[in-house]
């Protein structure tokens, strides 16, 4: 391991005992236990616990004294903001509101919001400064409208408005409008719509256009499609960009309502009035996607062609160009190689650049040009090392004829001329002095069984210090050591987001095994082999389905590691004689793995052993996968994957296969 944490203590250490006592309202015991912690490096944490207990005992003088180690902590304590809130409440209760105001202002940047603004408003009220109190409450109410607890600010503002009358600080329409937009962004569409309807008459120019438009978009986002369509069709806007957006949402409404002729007519209108508008691009993509899902190339290819021609070079148009190039490849058209090269040339940062290179390699193979194939596959493997297409490229490179060939210098020169994103870097996981202090503090907190505090320390450091990748690994290691593999996976994704382009030798092996853990290996191996499945494939599927969280439940109601639906689980349990059965049993790793592997095996058999189609069926349903298989005569599985019309399912299939490839590389040629 990179960062070794102590084993979990059998008897609760003093800090853990203090936390337990605080939670159970044994405040005197909590204070006594904090005095037994002999670790000055984590004095801010013991101070916080002691101060919290003293606050509950109404010892306000004791609170201020106890919190001193928090202010003195270097590097800065993650508890600074919470401590400032606690101190302010204590000062207000002790009739020292000026001290409360001073400490909140001193630590303004660290305060959790909207609690900080509300606490400042309360302090100003206690200091008999109602106008300043109102301003603080307004800041909370208008800047954090969807946050928990903001209703306190609303209640206070109602009270102050009544008492202050004409002296109440006015709020500009623009401030109220900004609040409505925040509600909109938080998906509180009905509330946003109500506020926008009230505000719109007081706005002017672009703000008025945007507010009126958002009323209709809020209806659309709430899936009130007929009402949204009627409103948007009758809306008159002055700005061309706002009007183009209006027309785009009219297209979206017609699409949802299956009014396809009207959608096309509106799109034609956009082409005449706003040919280069980004909203026209959005409308083209949306309608093309609709026809793609139902496999209507005669309808979607003209839309993609228009998009690629009229928005040439726009990053969002990359998918249009790719769809046309791949369609040519599928139809075995002579110009498909040129189209694939053009995609790399015009859209070097596209997610489809690696796909284009792979199919250029396949075309080279079919032409007997092993040197060009070798060059394309080498570049994919080195530049996109953990992509789906890199796994396929490495498989092709094992072909003897390709492996013997020297990479084509023509292809190498072409790739040099293209401005491809810089990839294949290495990351430094050596902690600097400040980060090392964070990690040491986390170790000490872990030794006290205060795991949440240890997490707090490391997550705060990852946010404010300059080595998030180091602290992300430290967090993942602590999570895995405490038997939370799902947290380990999430931390590595969050703090080292570029791992798909990070070569295996670009990070320590410990990092990769944190990002791709293999818990529950014994039952996983047992049930995978029983169903004649590759254990690494099963691990790859679990990582994508649940991230190894045994107690996760999906929005659809699927349970556990392999995300088995209760009805499916009941049927499988009956077949496998797992009795008695109830849905809660799906949270047990052994049961879930037994049922999940059997279900996957049955799907694989029903689909004649076609792995990619089976994965698509596992994610989107068997009937859809069967339908997608019928669309073309695919020469290889990757062509089927590219034609999956649901982005989520296509990404899912690619992710599981690349995960399986990574597990194979990390853990060896076969599971133990």
């Amino acid at each position: 391991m990179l960062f070794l944490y102590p084993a979990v203590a059998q008897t609760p250490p003093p800090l853990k005992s203090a936390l337990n006592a605080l939670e159970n309202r044994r405040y005197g015991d909590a204070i006594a236990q904090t005095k037994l912690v002999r670790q000055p490096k984590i004095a801010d944490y013991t101070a916080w616990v002691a101060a919290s207990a003293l606050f509950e005992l109404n010892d306000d003088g004791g609170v201020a004294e106890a919190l001193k180690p928090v202010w003195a902590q270097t590097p800065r304590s993650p508890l600074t903001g919470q401590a400032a809130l606690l101190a302010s409440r204590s000062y207000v209760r002790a009739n020292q509101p000026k001290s409360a105001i001073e400490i909140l202002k001193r630590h303004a940047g660290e305060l959790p919001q909207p609690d900080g603004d509300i606490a400042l408003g309360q302090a100003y009220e206690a200091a008999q400064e109602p106008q300043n109190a109102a301003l603080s409450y307004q800041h909370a109410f208008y800047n954090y409208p969807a946050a928990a607890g903001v209703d306190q600010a609303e209640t206070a503002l109602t009270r102050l408005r009544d008492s202050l009358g004409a002296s109440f600080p006015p709020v500009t329409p623009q401030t109220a409008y900004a609040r409505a937009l925040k509600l909109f962004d938080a998906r509180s569409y009905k509330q946003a719509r109500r506020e926008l309807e009230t505000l719109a008459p007081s706005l002017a120019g672009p703000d008025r256009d945007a507010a009126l438009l958002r009323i209709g978009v809020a209806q659309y986002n709430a899936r009130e499609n007929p009402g949204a369509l009627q409103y948007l069709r009758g809306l008159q806007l002055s700005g061309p960009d706002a009007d183009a957006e209006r027309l785009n949402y009219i297209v979206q409404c017609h699409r949802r309502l299956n009014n396809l002729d009207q959608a096309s007519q509106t799109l034609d209108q956009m082409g005449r009035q706003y040919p280069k508008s980004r909203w026209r691009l959005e409308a083209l993509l949306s309608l093309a996607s609709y026809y793609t899902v139902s496999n209507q190339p005669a309808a979607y290819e003209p839309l993609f062609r228009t998009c690629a021609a009229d928005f040439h070079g726009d990053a969002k148009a990359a998918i249009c160009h790719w769809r046309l190039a791949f369609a040519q490849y599928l139809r075995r058209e002579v110009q498909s190689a040129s189209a694939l090269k053009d995609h790399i040339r015009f859209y070097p940062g596209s997610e489809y650049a690696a796909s284009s290179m792979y199919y250029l390699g396949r075309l080279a193979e079919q032409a007997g040009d092993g040197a060009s194939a070798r060059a394309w596959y080498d570049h994919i493997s080195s530049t996109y090392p953990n992509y789906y297409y890199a796994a396929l490229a490495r498989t092709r490179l094992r072909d003897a004829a390709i492996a013997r060939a020297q990479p084509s210098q023509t292809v190498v020169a072409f790739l040099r001329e293209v401005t491809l994103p810089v990839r294949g870097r290495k990351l430094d996981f050596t902690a600097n002095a400040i980060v090392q202090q964070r990690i040491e503090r986390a170790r000490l907190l872990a030794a006290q069984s205060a795991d949440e505090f240890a997490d707090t320390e490391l997550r705060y450091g990852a946010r404010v210090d300059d080595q998030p990748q180091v602290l992300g690994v430290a967090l993942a290691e602590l999570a895995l050591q405490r038997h939370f593999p799902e947290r380990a996976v999430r931390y590595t994704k969050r703090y080292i987001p570029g791992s798909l382009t990070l070569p295996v030798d670009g990070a320590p092996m410990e990092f990769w095994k944190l990002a791709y853990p293999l818990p529950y290996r014994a039952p996983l191996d047992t049930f995978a082999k029983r169903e004649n499945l590759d254990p690494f494939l099963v691990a790859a599927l679990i990582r994508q389905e649940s991230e190894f969280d045994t107690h996760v439940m999906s929005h659809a109601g699927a349970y556990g590691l392999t995300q088995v639906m209760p009805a499916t689980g009941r049927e499988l349990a009956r077949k496998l004689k797992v009795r008695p059965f109830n849905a809660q049993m799906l949270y047990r790793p052994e049961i879930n793995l037994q049922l999940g592997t059997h279900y996957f095996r049955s799907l694989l058999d029903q689909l004649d052993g076609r792995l990619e189609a089976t994965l698509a069926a596992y994610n989107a349903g068997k009937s859809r996968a069967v339908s997608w298989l019928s669309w073309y005569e695919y020469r290889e599985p990757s062509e089927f994957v590219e034609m999956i019309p649901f982005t989520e399912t296509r990404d899912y299939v690619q992710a599981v296969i690349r995960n399986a490839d990574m597990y194979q590389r990390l853990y060896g040629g076969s599971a133990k």
Side-chain angles (χ1 to χ4, degrees), residues 10-11 62 131 162 174 239 265 273 292 449 462 479 595 598-599 668:
Q10 296 298 314
T11 303
Q131 282 92 352
D162 291 341
Q174 286 71 27
Q265 291 168 13
Q273 291 183 245
T292 299
S449 297
L595 302 183
H598 186 78
Y599 177 62

Side-chain angles (χ1 to χ4, degrees), residues 216-362:
V217 178
Q219 290 177 276
Y220 171 83
N221 286 345
R223 307 198 76 83
E224 299 171 12
N225 301 312
L229 179 59
Q230 182 179 2
Y231 173 83
L232 290 165
R233 291 179 69 174
L235 186 60
Q236 299 292 318
L237 301 174
S238 58
D241 189 61
D243 194 49
E245 186 178 0
R246 178 185 71 87
L247 291 172
N248 166 58
Y249 278 103
I250 289 175
V251 172
Q252 310 300 346
C253 289
H254 281 311
R255 176 183 57 82
R256 279 190 182 173
L257 294 167
N258 289 317
N259 303 331
L260 300 181
D261 288 342
Q262 293 94 322
S264 295
Q265 291 168 13
T266 307
L267 191 56
D268 290 343
Q269 180 184 348
M270 294 183 78
R272 293 190 299 271
Q273 291 183 245
Y274 310 110
K276 295 299 181 180
S277 169
R278 61 193 171 110
W279 298 111
R280 180 176 177 239
L281 173 57
E282 292 288 344
L284 283 164
L285 288 171
S286 174
L287 201 53
S289 176
Y290 177 91
Y291 288 120
T292 299
V293 168
S294 54
N295 191 33
Q296 299 183 56
Y300 67 67
E301 284 194 23
L303 294 170
F304 283 135
R305 193 171 292 110
T306 299
C307 166
D310 290 359
F311 296 92
H312 177 74
D314 189 304
K316 276 201 164 185
I319 188 173
C320 304
H321 191 280
W322 164 248
R323 284 294 182 192
L324 294 170
F326 187 66
Q328 291 178 336
Y329 176 84
L330 275 182
R331 290 194 292 261
R332 291 48 164 171
E333 294 180 8
V334 175
Q335 66 269 35
S336 62
S338 295
L340 292 169
K341 284 184 180 178
D342 282 347
H343 189 80
I344 299 167
R345 184 183 294 111
F346 298 142
Y347 303 98
S350 160
E351 62 178 299
Y352 304 105
S355 322
S356 299
M357 293 175 197
Y358 175 78
Y359 291 113
L360 283 164
R362 296 296 284 143

Side-chain angles (χ1 to χ4, degrees), residues 68-79:
K68 285 182 177 179
V70 178
W71 320 131
Q73 171 60 40
T74 303
R76 182 184 291 269
S77 172
L79 302 177

